[in-house]
Amino acid sequence: MSECLFCRIISGEIAGNVVYRDEQLTAFRDINPQAPTHVLIVPNEHLTSTAEMGQQQVPLMGRIVQVAAELARQEGLQAGGYRLVVNTGPDAGQSVGHFHLHLLGGRRMGWPPG
Ligand code: DGP
């Protein structure tokens, strides 16, 4: 049994509101949404953060962004736009140690982020 929360959602051991799944990645709705649309896109294979990334993950990252853009279209976010966020480590507020891309949209957002 995995210790990692997102690995357990990916395997189906813990229920997640999954909106997309393929052999490489899974997307599910954030349990604590910060915008009307808040989806997390994660690699199925455990990867802690961008700090662990190397050449091998380059195609996977492209695929994750492509799926995020497709989900944004499905969620009707094309016209208003959306934000893709990756938090790495404590200063950025990463709270789950499994790489995830946040797709946020459906409201006007401020900049810079807090
Ligand atoms: P971050 O702070 O970047 O590590 O974002 C982690 C996100 O994970 C945070 O927005 C809340 C979300 N989250 C935490 N636990 C769960 C869970 O059990 N299920 C789902 N769907 N999301 C979770």
Side-chain angles (χ1 to χ4, degrees), residues 49-60:
S49 74
T50 58
E52 277 188 355
M53 246 166 235
Q55 187 65 31
Q56 208 188 327
Q57 284 77 38
V58 170
L60 173 68

Side-chain angles (χ1 to χ4, degrees), residues 32-91:
N32 184 23
Q34 301 300 311
T37 293
H38 189 170
V39 172
L40 303 173
I41 301 116
V42 309
N44 292 341
E45 201 167 296
H46 186 86
L47 178 73
T48 303
S49 74
T50 58
E52 277 188 355
M53 246 166 235
Q55 187 65 31
Q56 208 188 327
Q57 284 77 38
V58 170
L60 173 68
M61 289 304 125
R63 178 70 185 139
I64 286 176
V65 173
Q66 183 190 28
V67 167
E70 180 56 37
L71 290 172
R73 276 190 283 275
Q74 282 176 31
E75 296 280 325
L77 301 176
Q78 280 275 78
Y82 51 89
R83 187 171 288 176
L84 302 178
V85 175
V86 176
N87 295 320
T88 299
D91 277 0

Side-chain angles (χ1 to χ4, degrees), residues 5-6 9 28-31 40 87 93-96 100 102:
L5 174 64
F6 286 178
I9 290 176
F28 50 89
R29 295 197 191 277
D30 196 291
I31 203 168
L40 303 173
N87 295 320
Q94 184 178 6
S95 61
V96 178
H100 46 283
H102 295 257

Side-chain angles (χ1 to χ4, degrees), residues 20-35:
Y20 180 83
R21 193 195 294 278
D22 66 25
E23 62 287 342
Q24 278 190 302
L25 55 90
T26 301
F28 50 89
R29 295 197 191 277
D30 196 291
I31 203 168
N32 184 23
Q34 301 300 311

Side-chain angles (χ1 to χ4, degrees), residues 6-23:
F6 286 178
C7 284
R8 294 169 81 180
I9 290 176
I10 292 160
S11 71
E13 190 189 322
I14 292 178
N17 193 341
V18 173
V19 294
Y20 180 83
R21 193 195 294 278
D22 66 25
E23 62 287 342

